[in-house]
Short mmCIF file of all heavy atoms in Angstrom, two decimals:
data_model
loop_
_atom_site.label_atom_id
_atom_site.label_comp_id
_atom_site.label_asym_id
_atom_site.label_seq_id
_atom_site.Cartn_x
_atom_site.Cartn_y
_atom_site.Cartn_z
N LEU A 20 -6.58 -7.75 0.90
CA LEU A 20 -6.80 -7.12 2.21
C LEU A 20 -5.59 -6.28 2.63
O LEU A 20 -5.73 -5.38 3.45
CB LEU A 20 -7.10 -8.18 3.27
CG LEU A 20 -8.43 -8.91 3.12
CD1 LEU A 20 -8.56 -10.01 4.15
CD2 LEU A 20 -9.60 -7.94 3.20
N VAL A 21 -4.44 -6.56 2.06
CA VAL A 21 -3.25 -5.74 2.31
C VAL A 21 -3.15 -4.63 1.28
O VAL A 21 -2.83 -3.47 1.60
CB VAL A 21 -1.97 -6.62 2.27
CG1 VAL A 21 -0.72 -5.77 2.37
CG2 VAL A 21 -2.02 -7.67 3.38
N LEU A 22 -3.44 -4.96 0.02
CA LEU A 22 -3.26 -3.98 -1.06
C LEU A 22 -4.30 -2.86 -1.05
O LEU A 22 -3.98 -1.73 -1.43
CB LEU A 22 -3.27 -4.69 -2.42
CG LEU A 22 -2.07 -5.58 -2.70
CD1 LEU A 22 -2.22 -6.29 -4.04
CD2 LEU A 22 -0.78 -4.78 -2.65
N TYR A 23 -5.53 -3.15 -0.63
CA TYR A 23 -6.53 -2.08 -0.58
C TYR A 23 -6.10 -0.92 0.31
O TYR A 23 -6.11 0.23 -0.14
CB TYR A 23 -7.90 -2.61 -0.14
CG TYR A 23 -8.73 -3.14 -1.27
CD1 TYR A 23 -9.27 -4.42 -1.22
CD2 TYR A 23 -9.01 -2.39 -2.41
CE1 TYR A 23 -10.04 -4.93 -2.25
CE2 TYR A 23 -9.77 -2.89 -3.44
CZ TYR A 23 -10.29 -4.15 -3.35
OH TYR A 23 -11.05 -4.64 -4.38
N PRO A 24 -5.73 -1.16 1.56
CA PRO A 24 -5.30 -0.02 2.39
C PRO A 24 -4.10 0.73 1.81
O PRO A 24 -4.03 1.96 1.91
CB PRO A 24 -4.96 -0.67 3.74
CG PRO A 24 -5.80 -1.90 3.78
CD PRO A 24 -5.85 -2.39 2.36
N VAL A 25 -3.18 0.01 1.19
CA VAL A 25 -2.05 0.68 0.53
C VAL A 25 -2.57 1.62 -0.55
O VAL A 25 -2.15 2.77 -0.66
CB VAL A 25 -1.04 -0.34 -0.05
CG1 VAL A 25 0.00 0.35 -0.92
CG2 VAL A 25 -0.38 -1.14 1.06
N SER A 26 -3.52 1.12 -1.35
CA SER A 26 -4.05 1.94 -2.45
C SER A 26 -4.86 3.13 -1.95
O SER A 26 -4.94 4.15 -2.62
CB SER A 26 -4.89 1.08 -3.40
OG SER A 26 -6.13 0.73 -2.82
N TRP A 27 -5.46 3.03 -0.76
CA TRP A 27 -6.23 4.15 -0.22
C TRP A 27 -5.34 5.31 0.19
O TRP A 27 -5.75 6.45 0.13
CB TRP A 27 -7.06 3.69 0.98
CG TRP A 27 -8.11 2.69 0.68
CD1 TRP A 27 -8.75 2.50 -0.53
CD2 TRP A 27 -8.65 1.72 1.56
NE1 TRP A 27 -9.65 1.46 -0.43
CE2 TRP A 27 -9.61 0.97 0.84
CE3 TRP A 27 -8.42 1.40 2.89
CZ2 TRP A 27 -10.34 -0.06 1.42
CZ3 TRP A 27 -9.14 0.37 3.47
CH2 TRP A 27 -10.09 -0.34 2.73
N PHE A 28 -4.13 5.00 0.62
CA PHE A 28 -3.21 6.06 1.06
C PHE A 28 -2.23 6.47 -0.03
O PHE A 28 -1.54 7.47 0.10
CB PHE A 28 -2.45 5.61 2.31
CG PHE A 28 -3.31 5.56 3.53
CD1 PHE A 28 -3.95 4.39 3.91
CD2 PHE A 28 -3.52 6.70 4.28
CE1 PHE A 28 -4.77 4.34 5.03
CE2 PHE A 28 -4.34 6.67 5.41
CZ PHE A 28 -4.96 5.49 5.78
N ALA A 29 -2.13 5.70 -1.10
CA ALA A 29 -1.23 6.01 -2.22
C ALA A 29 -1.80 7.19 -3.02
O ALA A 29 -3.01 7.39 -3.06
CB ALA A 29 -1.10 4.79 -3.12
N PRO A 30 -0.92 7.97 -3.64
CA PRO A 30 -1.41 9.10 -4.44
C PRO A 30 -2.19 8.63 -5.67
O PRO A 30 -1.68 7.86 -6.48
CB PRO A 30 -0.13 9.84 -4.84
CG PRO A 30 0.97 8.86 -4.70
CD PRO A 30 0.54 7.87 -3.66
N LEU A 31 -3.46 9.07 -5.76
CA LEU A 31 -4.29 8.77 -6.94
C LEU A 31 -3.91 9.68 -8.09
O LEU A 31 -3.85 9.27 -9.23
CB LEU A 31 -5.77 8.99 -6.63
CG LEU A 31 -6.49 8.00 -5.76
CD1 LEU A 31 -7.91 8.46 -5.53
CD2 LEU A 31 -6.47 6.64 -6.38
N LEU A 32 -3.73 10.93 -7.74
CA LEU A 32 -3.42 11.92 -8.77
C LEU A 32 -2.68 13.09 -8.15
O LEU A 32 -2.68 13.28 -6.95
CB LEU A 32 -4.69 12.38 -9.49
CG LEU A 32 -5.88 12.81 -8.64
CD1 LEU A 32 -5.94 14.31 -8.53
CD2 LEU A 32 -7.14 12.28 -9.30
N ARG A 33 -2.05 13.85 -9.03
CA ARG A 33 -1.39 15.10 -8.63
C ARG A 33 -2.11 16.22 -9.34
O ARG A 33 -2.29 16.16 -10.55
CB ARG A 33 0.08 15.06 -9.03
CG ARG A 33 0.88 14.06 -8.24
CD ARG A 33 2.34 14.02 -8.70
NE ARG A 33 2.98 12.84 -8.16
CZ ARG A 33 2.98 11.65 -8.73
NH1 ARG A 33 2.40 11.48 -9.89
NH2 ARG A 33 3.59 10.63 -8.18
N ALA A 34 -2.54 17.19 -8.57
CA ALA A 34 -3.31 18.28 -9.15
C ALA A 34 -2.68 19.61 -8.78
O ALA A 34 -2.16 19.79 -7.68
CB ALA A 34 -4.75 18.23 -8.64
N GLY A 35 -2.73 20.52 -9.71
CA GLY A 35 -2.23 21.86 -9.48
C GLY A 35 -3.11 22.87 -10.19
O GLY A 35 -3.64 22.60 -11.27
N PHE A 36 -3.29 24.02 -9.57
CA PHE A 36 -4.10 25.08 -10.15
C PHE A 36 -3.16 26.03 -10.88
O PHE A 36 -2.31 26.67 -10.27
CB PHE A 36 -4.86 25.82 -9.05
CG PHE A 36 -5.82 26.84 -9.58
CD1 PHE A 36 -6.94 26.45 -10.29
CD2 PHE A 36 -5.60 28.19 -9.37
CE1 PHE A 36 -7.83 27.38 -10.78
CE2 PHE A 36 -6.49 29.12 -9.86
CZ PHE A 36 -7.60 28.72 -10.56
N LEU A 37 -3.31 26.10 -12.16
CA LEU A 37 -2.44 26.86 -13.05
C LEU A 37 -1.03 26.29 -13.06
O LEU A 37 -0.60 25.68 -12.08
CB LEU A 37 -2.42 28.34 -12.67
CG LEU A 37 -3.77 29.06 -12.74
CD1 LEU A 37 -3.64 30.47 -12.20
CD2 LEU A 37 -4.30 29.10 -14.16
N PRO A 38 -0.31 26.47 -14.12
CA PRO A 38 1.02 25.88 -14.22
C PRO A 38 2.04 26.47 -13.25
O PRO A 38 3.08 25.90 -13.02
CB PRO A 38 1.44 26.16 -15.67
CG PRO A 38 0.25 26.65 -16.37
CD PRO A 38 -0.75 27.07 -15.35
N LEU A 39 1.76 27.62 -12.67
CA LEU A 39 2.72 28.30 -11.81
C LEU A 39 2.85 27.67 -10.43
O LEU A 39 3.87 27.81 -9.77
CB LEU A 39 2.33 29.77 -11.64
CG LEU A 39 2.15 30.57 -12.94
CD1 LEU A 39 1.59 31.94 -12.63
CD2 LEU A 39 3.47 30.67 -13.66
#
Side-chain angles (χ1 to χ4, degrees):
L20 293 175
V21 174
L22 291 177
Y23 273 126
V25 171
S26 73
W27 296 334
F28 289 93
L31 287 177
L32 49 99
R33 291 178 194 87
F36 186 68
L37 299 174
L39 305 172

